[in-house]
Structures are given as C-alpha cells and as structure tokens.
Amino acid sequence: MGQRLSGGRSCLDVPGRLLPQPPPPPPPVRRKLALLFAMLCVWLYMFLYSCAGSCAAAPGLLLLGSGSRAAHAPPVLATGPDGTPLRLPFQAAPATPLAAGKETDEGAASQEEPSPEALDSPSSISSFFSGSGSKQLPQAIIIGVKKGGTRALLEFLRVHPDVRAVGAEPHFFDRSYDKGLAWYRDLMPRTLDGQITMEKTPSYFVTREAPARISAMSRDTKLIVVVRDPVTRAISDYTQTLSKRPDIPTFESLTFRNRTAGLVDTSWSAIQIGIYAKHLERWLRHFPLGQMLFVSGERLISDPAGELGRVQDFLGLKRIITDKHFYFNKTKGFPCLKKAEGSSKPHCLGKTKGRTHPEIDREVVQRLRDFYRPFNLKFYQMTGHDFGWD
C-alpha cells in the first residue's frame, strides 16, 4: 500500500519514539505542594472559627487577640435530678405608690431601649460564625442608676475584646422574673472561654426584690453602680419624661408636697432614686461591699479612661480601654468612642442622651441639695468614697 522505505519497511512501521507521547506524570514536588495548600486552607478555617468570638468583640479588628484570657467562672444554673433547669420562686414586685400625676412614665422611658430579644447587630465575622461559643448567665451586672451614665459605661466596656454584653435592658430581675433563668440566659450573647457576660438594667438598684434574686442566681455576681449628683440626676430624669410627656407639671411643683414648708415629696421616683444610701442598705444584706463597684457619673464624662481603668481592674480584665479610645464631643458635652465595637467609625450615644435641661428655680435646687446632703454623707461613709456632690 504505502511507499517502501529502505530495508523493506513500510512508512507505517515508524519507531514508537517518533509517535506523539502521553504527557509525563506530574513530578512528586507538585503533588506535595497541592497537599500542603489544602492542609493550609483547613488549618486557616479552623483558626478563624476558634477566634471568631474575639474578632467580633474587637473594635475595628484592631484589638484582635490583645485581651487577657483570665478565667471567669460563670455562675452555674441550678438543675433538678433529671437535669432540667429549676425555676426560682417568683414573688411579684409590689407597686410603689406614687402621687397622682407624678409617675416617671417608665413605659415611655423604656422605649429608648430596644427589646431584649432584638440583640446587637453582629459584625460580618460574628454573623458567619454565629454558632461559636456558648450562652452563660452574666458574671457582672450594671444595676444602676437611671440617668447616671449606665448606657455610656456599657458602650465603653463593649470595646474590650473580653466583654460581651446584651445591648437592650433585659429587666429580668424586676419585670420578667417569672420567665425563669433559662429564658434569661437565652438573652445573653455567646461567649468564649475567658470572656465575661454582662448586662445592664438601672432599675435593679431601686427594686426591693432584685438583691435577693441576683444572689439566688449567683452570690459571686459582680455589681456595678453608676452614681451621679442626685439633684442633677433628678433634673435629668424629669427632662427625659418631659420630652415624652410635654403636658406634665413643672419640676418645682412635683418636687414639693408643700413648697412653703420646704417638704420634699419622696414619693416621686425622680427624687426617691437619688436617696442612694437607702437603696444600698438592701444590697449590702446580700452582697459584700467588695463585690460592688461605684462609678462616678461625673468622672465618666471628665475622665472616661480613668473610670474605665477602675472598672477593668474590678472585673479582672487587662487594661485595654485607654485614652486613645475617646474624644470629647463639644456639641453633646460628653466623650465619644473613636471606634465602636465591630466598627472603624467614631460613635457617640444617641440623640436621647445629653438633652438640654430646663431652667430650674435656684431656690428649689438649693432646697434639694439641703435635702440630699445627709443621705449623701451617709452614702460616702458606706462606700468609703467622697463623690464631692456637696
């Protein structure tokens, strides 16, 4: 058929080495590199998964891994013989009788706080790894006081990578105690080992049943109280109510039962809350003084880093929140965060904070100062700290 080559061979009888050859197998080095790359991907995934909680808590990811990991033993939820959580006995909180027209509109005030179930907007990392960590009962609670600076303190603390806190006020120990500790724990954010779970509800400090209820949950709970000049606090309390109910009587008329006689109406909650010594007596029946920290609301404005240093020491945390985290906002009149939790942008408290107070008669202010002075002095003696309100 074909032409004959020399030697009598056909042109089809070409040696095999002249035909196209299959590609040689990949050298062993390539296989090893591919295997190494796959292992690296798996290792990176496991590393990100394990540190997701810390990443979510770090402000702008600048504090990743910089927090301490001292052990903070969470309170143990009591269980029955079958392993199911027990509910503590519920006692309805007695209503405090207030003079007609002198309520502080707790419903309106609570509208500033979102529902406990509506937790904070998580960062992209915490959303991706939402299943990491576990929910614990709080080891520390900011229990008061209303209009003292509790929201500012909580927002500042949440910058710390070892602090995880509920954004909304749970109001468990004053309004929802009948729902049980399991319900309460489910409101808490997930935490990793070494992180502290916190919440803040300022009304706890003046709730009669709260000390015994928190002690029943855990006697080791650390309590933080933000206090402020009671006269300024009362005016701030009134200002908040006035913004929601413009038709309420004047501050002066609500302050006195008999203005001529100078008889202060202590049934008005705006006045009652500021009698700190009276409320503290109940707490000291259930908790030692060393388990409570009293934060100055005034210093929280003038020296936020200094007060946050005391709080971090009290909670057993490394001092990570310092002066570099704050700047003073002249418009609002209080410090703001340069970088909030999970963000790289500056953050100030909302428009409901830092309202302009109405002008109050100087005589009324002076009479209130005279009224509070003996209670303030007793509070100084009980806490061992002079807050300088007099």
Side-chain angles (χ1 to χ4, degrees):
M1 293 177 52
Q3 297 179 352
R4 305 294 295 182
L5 298 178
S6 60
R9 290 183 299 170
S10 167
C11 63
L12 297 179
D13 299 330
V14 180
R17 66 176 179 272
L18 298 180
L19 296 177
Q21 298 293 320
V29 176
R30 293 184 182 179
R31 288 197 300 270
K32 291 181 179 180
L33 288 176
L35 181 60
L36 182 62
F37 179 78
M39 293 176 63
L40 181 62
C41 291
V42 173
W43 177 86
L44 182 60
Y45 174 84
M46 295 178 65
F47 174 78
L48 290 176
Y49 185 90
S50 65
C51 74
S54 299
C55 296
L61 300 182
L62 294 179
L63 297 177
L64 177 60
S66 59
S68 65
R69 285 294 179 268
H72 302 281
V76 179
L77 181 62
T79 58
D82 57 350
T84 58
L86 294 177
R87 288 193 176 186
L88 299 179
F90 170 68
Q91 298 176 351
T96 303
L98 296 179
K102 295 192 176 185
E103 300 180 27
T104 54
D105 195 12
E106 292 184 3
S110 64
Q111 291 177 2
E112 295 188 3
E113 296 291 345
S115 166
E117 286 83 355
L119 299 178
D120 321 320
S121 299
S123 65
S124 57
I125 295 180
S126 61
S127 297
F128 184 75
F129 296 117
S130 58
S132 63
S134 60
K135 294 186 177 184
Q136 305 289 340
L137 291 170
Q139 296 98 51
I141 303 177
I142 302 174
I143 60 174
V145 298
K146 180 183 178 185
K147 307 310 296 179
T150 57
R151 170 55 58 186
L153 177 61
L154 185 70
E155 292 300 311
F156 295 164
L157 276 175
R158 290 170 69 185
V159 171
H160 201 292
D162 284 342
V163 173
R164 301 287 287 149
V166 182
E169 295 176 2
H171 284 282
F172 173 68
F173 294 103
D174 58 349
R175 301 179 189 173
S176 304
Y177 194 63
D178 60 327
K179 295 183 178 180
L181 285 173
W183 176 87
Y184 180 50
R185 182 171 59 181
D186 194 53
L187 297 180
M188 300 299 131
R190 294 183 179 274
T191 55
L192 302 176
D193 290 341
Q195 291 183 320
I196 292 179
T197 302
M198 291 188 65
E199 71 116 316
K200 78 107 178 170
T201 304
S203 55
Y204 291 163
F205 188 64
V206 297
T207 300
R208 291 182 178 274
E209 295 77 17
R213 290 172 176 178
I214 295 178
S215 177
M217 176 188 73
S218 173
R219 295 181 180 179
D220 297 327
T221 306
K222 294 186 176 182
L223 308 173
I224 301 175
V225 190
V226 187
V227 289
R228 182 183 183 187
D229 181 341
V231 177
T232 308
R233 197 221 67 80
I235 296 173
S236 179
D237 199 335
Y238 172 80
T239 302
Q240 175 176 290
T241 306
L242 183 65
S243 69
K244 300 179 181 300
R245 296 169 54 193
D247 58 337
I248 63 173
T250 64
F251 180 85
E252 291 82 355
S253 63
L254 292 171
T255 299
F256 299 101
R257 291 180 181 227
N258 187 327
R259 183 168 179 178
T260 304
L263 184 60
V264 175
D265 190 353
T266 56
S267 67
W268 184 28
S269 64
I271 299 296
Q272 189 182 89
I273 291 173
I275 309 176
Y276 302 140
K278 173 185 175 182
H279 306 302
L280 180 57
E281 286 177 344
R282 289 196 297 266
W283 288 91
L284 293 179
R285 297 188 195 116
H286 298 274
F287 291 93
L289 187 63
Q291 220 163 297
M292 304 181 71
L293 179 70
F294 301 91
V295 176
S296 167
E298 288 81 11
R299 285 199 64 203
L300 198 57
I301 295 176
S302 63
D303 182 20
E307 284 300 278
L308 264 293
R310 294 180 59 236
V311 177
Q312 290 172 95
D313 291 346
F314 175 71
L315 295 176
L317 299 170
K318 182 179 179 181
R319 285 201 177 197
I320 287 179
I321 308 172
T322 61
D323 285 322
K324 67 182 181 181
H325 288 88
F326 302 99
Y327 73 96
F328 190 80
N329 187 304
K330 295 182 179 179
T331 303
K332 286 185 170 290
F334 50 75
C336 300
L337 288 169
K338 291 181 180 179
K339 297 180 188 297
E341 179 201 14
S343 172
S344 60
K345 298 180 180 180
H347 172 68
C348 284
L349 298 181
K351 62 181 180 180
T352 60
K353 308 298 180 181
R355 297 184 182 94
T356 302
H357 293 177
E359 288 291 333
I360 306 297
D361 190 320
R362 291 185 179 181
E363 179 189 357
V364 173
V365 173
Q366 187 56 50
R367 286 193 179 186
L368 270 181
R369 294 204 177 281
D370 294 339
F371 166 78
Y372 278 120
R373 184 170 291 110
F375 297 109
N376 290 344
L377 293 176
K378 184 177 181 180
F379 184 66
Y380 298 167
Q381 292 173 350
M382 295 173 73
T383 61
H385 184 76
D386 186 342
F387 289 89
W389 299 324
D390 301 292

